[in-house]
Amino acid sequence: MFLAIRELLFAKTKYILIGLIMVLTASLIFIISGLAQGLSSDNASAIQDLQADALIIEEEAEGEIGNSFIPADEREKMIEAQGGNNNASTLAIRMMNTTINDADQQIDIALFATERNGILMPDVAEGMFPQKADEVLADATLKQEGVRLGDQLQVEENTSYTVTGFTADQRYSHTPVVFISNDELEQFNAVAVQGEANTDGSYEVITKETALNGIPSYSQEQASLNMMIIFLYVIAAFVLAVFFYVMTLQKREQFGVLKALGAKSMYLIRGLIGQVILLSLISISIAVVVTFGIGALFPADMPFTLELETMLQPAIIIIVVSTIGAIVSLYQVIQIDPIEAIEGAAY
Amino acid sequence: MTLILDHITKAYTDGPNEFKALDNASLEVKAGEFIAIVGPSGSGKSTMLSIAGALLSPTSGKVLLDGENIAGLSSKEVTKRRLDKIGFVFQAAHLVPYLKVKDQLNIIQVLAKKGKKHGNDLLAHFGLKHRMNNFPNELSGGERQRVAIARALMNDPQLILADEPTASLDSKRGQEVVKLLADEIKNRNKAGIMVTHDERVLSFADHIVTIRDGKIE
């Protein structure tokens, strides 16, 4: 690294410029990752964080919870088959419009109906656990719509619920989830099971992953964002590959001299790879700071989740693809002949 | 004898023809001896220097450096011989553009993985101490060539090879540089070979060897 570091310092401008491109690309990768993460939770955190390992749905539903309809009188039999209420709960999901305390404004919510004391009821973050049939636990993002503890949520003509508590991170299909008791429902969508699920064949067992992909628009949303991220990885690799390729071509004569003086190809290659990794590391570190800065400017209700752990994976991928990009130049370095240092000797 | 080139032939194929850059050339250089190789362009003098410097392997013949035939060694071994036993002074100095003068010398130690850096003593000896933190583009042509000579001495080689050391210098600076090179070779008891066009510096050499069409005359 003796040569590599001194060259970076000497040719500052070139390396700062290429570093800037890397910072921008890495920032974009982090921001889109944050957006993908945020949209994913916004769309499905209620399913991702569901206190269950598997879901039993109708076979005809083809993996989509919303298409599965099981009559309410099957409930007891099915719960019993899974070992009782400590192992399984039913789940019914309905997308509804609601108004708060008879105001005019309509809000979209997702009603999750389940057994009041069943395994699916999330923990209370604020307020009290619902006790009566018309008391409900609501996702805390409803507070942004002006909902307070004790407020009435009017759904349909003559049904209204009282919010007694808020819970965290329960969103479904980009709307806040409200947990209600399932006492009066005629049908439900699925039975959620902790541990191994047993079925007699007329039902299908799906994982939470499958259930996620069955949420309308979930996989399309994630796929398009992931495609952008993959393209950015490829762009980062190409930009660095071309830059270091041209740099290596420019340094041809100099590499010839160094080889004539006794430098091994391996030494020069280590320097090159070292430069790529150093450049990527510094660019990524700056990009992390930039991304957190930009993230702080986003409005609070924007679905954007940024955590250092989730940035680690893209960071490692950027370093790996950058290094792969540099491999194009390695061949150049290897095939430079030290004879090029002597004018007129190479034929 | 430090260097013996024994019946060296270097042949290249040029389409159907074979072209001999060196034809059965022999040369001996002993420690403390400074030889100048002259000849017209394309005569084979650069090829001779490259073979002596282990940058090129001959088609036939032996290259004995310090008693060892380096003509048949692997490229890895050859690189090591260059690092340990040969010092080069290139045309136009060929310094590394992004290294300060002191690092131009230290790089040799880094490559040789030797801990002790005696670059400063050499720079002082060559009157370059005040320039040690300058980059090559801040030096004059004569200073650059002096740094190149100091670099060639850095690994304490047995053989010093100079390729047109005066090519980018005016005649006064050229003479100074070659005199310095000749003095160092004498005082340090090295074997030296210089390829040159410049007749004004031939007086510093112990012997002058003329090559024409790949043959030594």
Side-chain angles (χ1 to χ4, degrees):
Chain A
M1 294 297 282
F2 183 90
L3 289 174
I5 304 241
R6 279 164 180 77
E7 196 205 348
L8 285 181
L9 294 175
F10 184 77
K12 285 183 226 65
T13 327
K14 278 182 204 166
Y15 287 103
I16 286 174
L17 286 176
I18 194 73
L20 268 179
I21 296 178
M22 285 297 288
V23 169
L24 292 175
T25 318
S27 303
L28 202 50
I29 289 174
F30 289 145
I31 289 169
I32 296 179
S33 304
L35 210 56
Q37 192 90 17
L39 279 171
S40 157
S41 330
D42 196 50
N43 204 346
S45 59
I47 299 293
Q48 286 162 343
D49 297 345
L50 203 68
Q51 300 291 315
D53 302 309
L55 291 151
I56 301 172
I57 58 170
E58 267 197 318
E59 207 151 6
E60 296 80 43
E62 292 177 342
E64 291 188 29
I65 300 182
N67 289 345
S68 162
F69 300 101
I70 307 171
D73 48 23
E74 292 276 301
R75 178 191 301 168
E76 268 183 50
K77 201 179 74 188
M78 289 182 75
I79 298 273
E80 218 46 58
Q82 307 307 327
N85 280 315
N86 289 332
N87 284 329
S89 277
T90 62
L91 176 64
I93 301 172
R94 286 174 76 194
M95 307 302 295
M96 300 294 268
N97 272 322
T98 181
T99 52
I100 312 160
N101 299 337
D102 295 330
D104 287 336
Q105 195 201 351
Q106 300 250 328
I107 305 166
D108 292 326
I109 56 166
L111 287 181
F112 271 38
T114 184
E115 283 76 7
R116 178 177 306 290
N117 296 309
I119 54 169
L120 296 185
M121 286 299 276
D123 292 336
V124 180
E126 189 187 337
M128 277 174 34
F129 199 84
Q131 302 296 328
K132 301 196 203 119
D134 66 341
E135 290 181 344
V136 297
L137 198 55
D139 179 63
T141 54
L142 265 181
K143 286 196 268 187
Q144 285 162 14
E145 309 289 344
V147 176
R148 298 283 169 267
L149 289 177
D151 279 356
Q152 298 281 320
L153 298 178
Q154 180 82 33
V155 291
E156 294 176 316
E157 235 8 55
N158 38 24
T159 316
S160 79
Y161 300 111
T162 309
V163 178
T164 62
F166 286 114
T167 178
D169 299 327
Q170 298 288 339
R171 308 258 310 170
Y172 180 83
S173 201
H174 302 295
T175 52
V177 171
V178 173
F179 284 87
I180 63 169
S181 168
N182 63 355
D183 302 335
E184 291 160 23
L185 290 182
E186 287 164 11
Q187 57 186 14
F188 54 92
N189 300 110
V191 176
V193 186
Q194 282 180 354
E196 195 91 2
N198 318 300
T199 49
D200 55 10
S202 54
Y203 294 102
E204 189 185 1
V205 179
I206 59 170
T207 60
K208 280 205 283 188
E209 298 304 310
T210 316
L212 281 179
N213 289 322
I215 298 173
S217 84
Y218 181 83
S219 53
Q220 290 89 331
E221 226 172 62
Q222 292 295 307
S224 53
L225 290 171
N226 284 332
M227 197 182 71
M228 286 187 216
I229 294 172
I230 290 168
F231 263 83
L232 286 169
Y233 287 141
V234 176
I235 291 169
F238 267 89
V239 166
L240 271 196
V242 170
F243 176 78
F244 277 98
Y245 186 75
V246 173
M247 287 298 279
T248 307
L249 286 182
Q250 282 184 359
K251 290 190 285 186
R252 207 184 159 86
E253 181 189 283
Q254 188 197 110
F255 280 149
V257 171
L258 284 166
K259 281 189 175 187
L261 292 177
K264 296 195 192 88
S265 292
M266 210 44 226
Y267 179 80
L268 300 174
I269 285 171
R270 275 209 308 274
L272 181 75
I273 301 277
Q275 284 181 335
V276 174
I277 292 177
L278 199 65
L279 199 64
S280 313
L281 273 179
I282 293 172
S283 305
I284 287 168
S285 312
I286 298 172
V288 168
V289 177
V290 168
T291 311
F292 272 105
I294 292 176
L297 298 177
F298 286 150
D301 58 351
M302 183 160 163
F304 183 75
T305 312
L306 205 57
E307 282 155 10
L308 275 177
E309 304 105 79
T310 50
M311 292 167 105
L312 195 65
Q313 189 199 354
I316 291 171
I317 295 176
I318 294 170
I319 294 174
V320 171
V321 297
S322 308
T323 312
I324 292 171
I327 289 174
V328 185
S329 307
L330 297 191
Y331 175 72
Q332 285 290 323
V333 177
I334 290 168
Q335 57 108 241
I336 291 168
D337 194 320
I339 188 86
E340 293 181 30
I342 304 281
E343 318 270 331
Y347 283 87
Chain B
M1 278 307 156
T2 304
L3 178 75
I4 302 171
L5 297 182
D6 185 13
H7 298 286
I8 299 291
T9 297
K10 181 69 184 175
Y12 295 96
T13 47
D14 179 19
N17 307 316
E18 196 186 52
F19 159 68
K20 283 182 176 163
L22 275 182
D23 190 2
N24 209 20
S26 295
L27 182 71
E28 296 186 355
V29 194
K30 58 176 181 279
E33 192 178 26
F34 184 37
I35 287 184
I37 300 178
V38 293
S41 304
S43 59
K45 53 189 196 308
S46 292
T47 307
M48 185 99 166
L49 191 79
S50 303
I51 289 175
L55 293 169
L56 203 59
S57 55
T59 311
S60 68
K62 277 193 276 190
V63 183
L64 294 170
L65 176 61
D66 204 14
E68 179 191 29
N69 185 10
I70 56 171
L73 294 178
S74 72
S75 80
K76 206 173 163 184
E77 287 293 309
V78 160
T79 305
K80 198 165 152 36
R81 294 300 176 279
R82 284 204 301 273
L83 185 59
D84 294 339
K85 298 195 168 174
I86 304 173
F88 287 97
V89 179
F90 300 109
Q91 189 168 342
H94 274 341
L95 299 178
V96 182
Y98 50 81
L99 292 184
K100 290 176 182 169
V101 167
K102 59 177 181 188
D103 289 331
Q104 300 285 348
L105 273 56
N106 290 339
I107 180 66
I108 302 293
Q109 305 270 253
V110 170
L111 292 176
K113 299 196 179 89
K114 282 181 190 153
K116 196 174 169 298
K117 293 176 179 152
H118 58 272
N120 285 355
D121 303 341
L122 267 176
L123 286 179
H125 176 72
F126 281 85
L128 288 163
K129 199 142 194 198
H130 63 295
R131 292 301 228 168
M132 65 184 222
N133 285 316
N134 287 98
F135 289 103
N137 61 6
E138 298 162 337
L139 305 179
S140 71
E143 283 174 324
R144 276 202 281 270
Q145 211 49 287
R146 262 147 67 203
V147 174
I149 294 171
R151 179 173 70 179
L153 291 169
M154 199 53 196
N155 53 352
D156 197 21
Q158 274 127 345
L159 177 65
I160 293 184
L161 302 172
D163 177 33
E164 307 266 12
T166 60
S168 57
L169 302 175
D170 62 35
S171 89
K172 184 163 171 282
R173 301 269 174 271
Q175 299 217 7
E176 280 170 14
V177 163
V178 176
K179 180 171 188 312
L180 179 67
L181 186 62
D183 288 349
E184 292 301 325
I185 286 169
K186 289 266 145 18
N187 295 340
R188 292 171 195 259
N189 205 31
K190 311 291 181 197
I193 302 179
M194 166 178 70
V195 158
T196 188
H197 273 110
D198 190 349
E199 290 180 1
R200 292 163 302 193
V201 299
L202 293 179
S203 57
F204 297 107
D206 298 320
H207 299 288
I208 297 164
V209 173
T210 309
I211 298 190
R212 209 176 294 276
D213 294 330
K215 293 193 172 89
I216 291 180
E217 293 183 346

